[in-house]
Amino acid sequence: MSNEMERAIERLRTTKSLLVITGAGISAESGIPTFRGDDGLWQNYRAEELATPWAFERDPVTVWKWYDWRRGIIGKAEPNPGHHAIKRLEEMFPGLFLITQNVDGLHGRTGIKNIIEIHGNLWRVRCSRDGRTSMLMDVPLKSIPPRCECGELLRPDVVWFGESILSDVLQMSYNAMSLCDTLMVVGTSGVVYPVASFPENVKGNGGFVIEVNLEPTPITNVADVSLFGKSGDILPAIVEGIVRQQAKN
Ligand code: OAD
């Protein structure tokens, strides 16, 4: 076991309140392209060009087709050992909170309870007029994008660039952040706010930050421990390390 891994496990042994934040990297091993990775382009569009209210206003069909493409991949995907390890961590740390930036719904499929999908969920749709949400599977798909009963276009119930996160979702996230003594940040490039600011805030409150990523990110400068590799390998190894520690004591 590496020194960094030992330090992470040692910290977790005394952690009272654990907050986990995840990004697209945790779902990469389920076969879902990340946003900023080499496979993140769709028909030469970057996520930032399509995931905006302006793109939807200008060309709703293209934006909807992009989400259909992502839903097609995600629909066949399964939670991977990284997702399952976080569910195991929830059993070990009963107050654990998970904030995910992912809209793929894979964490939810592990049965995890305390989860905030801070950027929404692409299996839900929302009326562009009155904001009412429903599950996509309950909506008759007569056109692309489908329309609400009121006649207005339905859009994915996700947060786009330039949009605000719902205030109660944001409040819950900030509460979880201020309560935690250890933050584990997994598979995010750490460039999209507000999540990008959480590691520094947790450090400012005297907390400890563990990063899990394939490569260094802006979070690495702030993190107390950085574990480089696949989250599907590292997170189960952390769980096993904690189990071994507990068996010793
Ligand atoms: P990114 O695509 O920006 O970053 C993915 C991160 O995961 C990178 O730092 C990779 O190095 C890392 N990574 C890839 N595979 C990994 C693996 N197997 N194990 C561990 N790490 C791995 O995705 P996010 O940071 O999630 O927002 O992006 C943040 C937000 O920007 C998204 O929620 C989305 C996006 O545009 C909206 O749509 C509003």
Side-chain angles (χ1 to χ4, degrees), residues 23-26 28-29 34-37 47 51 101-102 119 159-161 187-192 212-215 217 229-232:
I26 193 159
E29 289 157 72
T34 61
F35 291 99
R36 292 174 185 78
Q101 298 169 97
N102 299 344
H119 290 166
V159 179
W160 281 331
F161 288 100
T188 178
S189 53
V191 295
V192 176
V212 177
N213 201 304
L214 284 184
E215 58 190 23
T217 70
K230 293 181 176 176
S231 47

Side-chain angles (χ1 to χ4, degrees), residues 28 31-42 45 69-70 73:
I32 301 173
T34 61
F35 291 99
R36 292 174 185 78
D38 293 339
D39 52 358
L41 286 183
W42 174 75
Y45 290 106
W69 171 71
R70 289 192 70 86
I73 297 170

Side-chain angles (χ1 to χ4, degrees), residues 170-208:
L170 205 54
Q171 195 54 55
M172 270 198 301
S173 305
Y174 280 121
N175 285 350
M177 182 187 73
S178 55
L179 286 175
C180 80
D181 53 7
T182 300
L183 168 66
M184 196 185 285
V185 198
V186 184
T188 178
S189 53
V191 295
V192 176
Y193 284 80
V195 159
S197 65
F198 282 21
E200 233 166 309
N201 285 330
V202 168
K203 287 287 290 182
N205 292 341
F208 192 91

Side-chain angles (χ1 to χ4, degrees), residues 9-229:
I9 289 167
E10 181 54 30
R11 171 68 191 195
L12 288 165
R13 202 175 61 80
T14 56
T15 290
K16 302 237 169 347
S17 175
L18 178 61
L19 172 62
V20 181
I21 291 179
T22 62
I26 193 159
S27 294
E29 289 157 72
S30 295
I32 301 173
T34 61
F35 291 99
R36 292 174 185 78
D38 293 339
D39 52 358
L41 286 183
W42 174 75
Q43 297 192 358
N44 284 329
Y45 290 106
R46 287 178 300 114
E48 289 90 337
E49 293 173 82
L50 295 172
T52 75
W54 308 285
F56 191 67
E57 216 175 288
R58 206 174 43 243
D59 188 355
V61 174
T62 299
V63 173
W64 192 269
K65 282 185 177 165
W66 178 55
Y67 279 102
D68 267 347
W69 171 71
R70 289 192 70 86
R71 276 190 291 258
I73 297 170
I74 292 164
K76 294 190 205 99
E78 295 292 333
N80 66 52
H83 296 105
H84 289 296
I86 295 175
K87 167 69 183 141
R88 295 250 348 247
L89 286 173
E90 185 182 53
E91 289 153 15
M92 294 167 157
F93 299 88
L96 179 145
F97 243 100
L98 168 65
I99 300 176
T100 186
Q101 298 169 97
N102 299 344
V103 297
D104 56 33
L106 288 184
H107 281 297
R109 286 174 49 194
T110 66
I112 193 152
K113 288 191 288 287
N114 290 332
I115 173 172
I116 300 174
E117 291 178 316
I118 195 166
H119 290 166
N121 187 306
L122 54 59
W123 299 107
R124 275 196 316 264
V125 290
R126 186 162 90 223
C127 174
S128 318
R129 191 193 328 248
D130 63 21
R132 247 187 315 157
T133 58
S134 39
M135 295 308 289
L136 177 60
M137 61 192 244
D138 296 332
V139 170
L141 286 173
K142 292 191 193 131
S143 57
I144 286 181
R147 288 187 181 269
C148 178
E149 289 163 358
C150 74
E152 194 51 65
L153 288 182
L154 290 170
R155 53 165 283 178
D157 187 23
V158 301
V159 179
W160 281 331
F161 288 100
E163 293 184 325
S164 309
I165 292 167
L166 288 177
S167 60
D168 56 337
V169 172
L170 205 54
Q171 195 54 55
M172 270 198 301
S173 305
Y174 280 121
N175 285 350
M177 182 187 73
S178 55
L179 286 175
C180 80
D181 53 7
T182 300
L183 168 66
M184 196 185 285
V185 198
V186 184
T188 178
S189 53
V191 295
V192 176
Y193 284 80
V195 159
S197 65
F198 282 21
E200 233 166 309
N201 285 330
V202 168
K203 287 287 290 182
N205 292 341
F208 192 91
V209 176
I210 301 169
E211 179 184 34
V212 177
N213 201 304
L214 284 184
E215 58 190 23
T217 70
I219 296 167
T220 312
N221 299 326
V222 180
D224 296 279
V225 169
S226 288
L227 301 168
F228 295 119

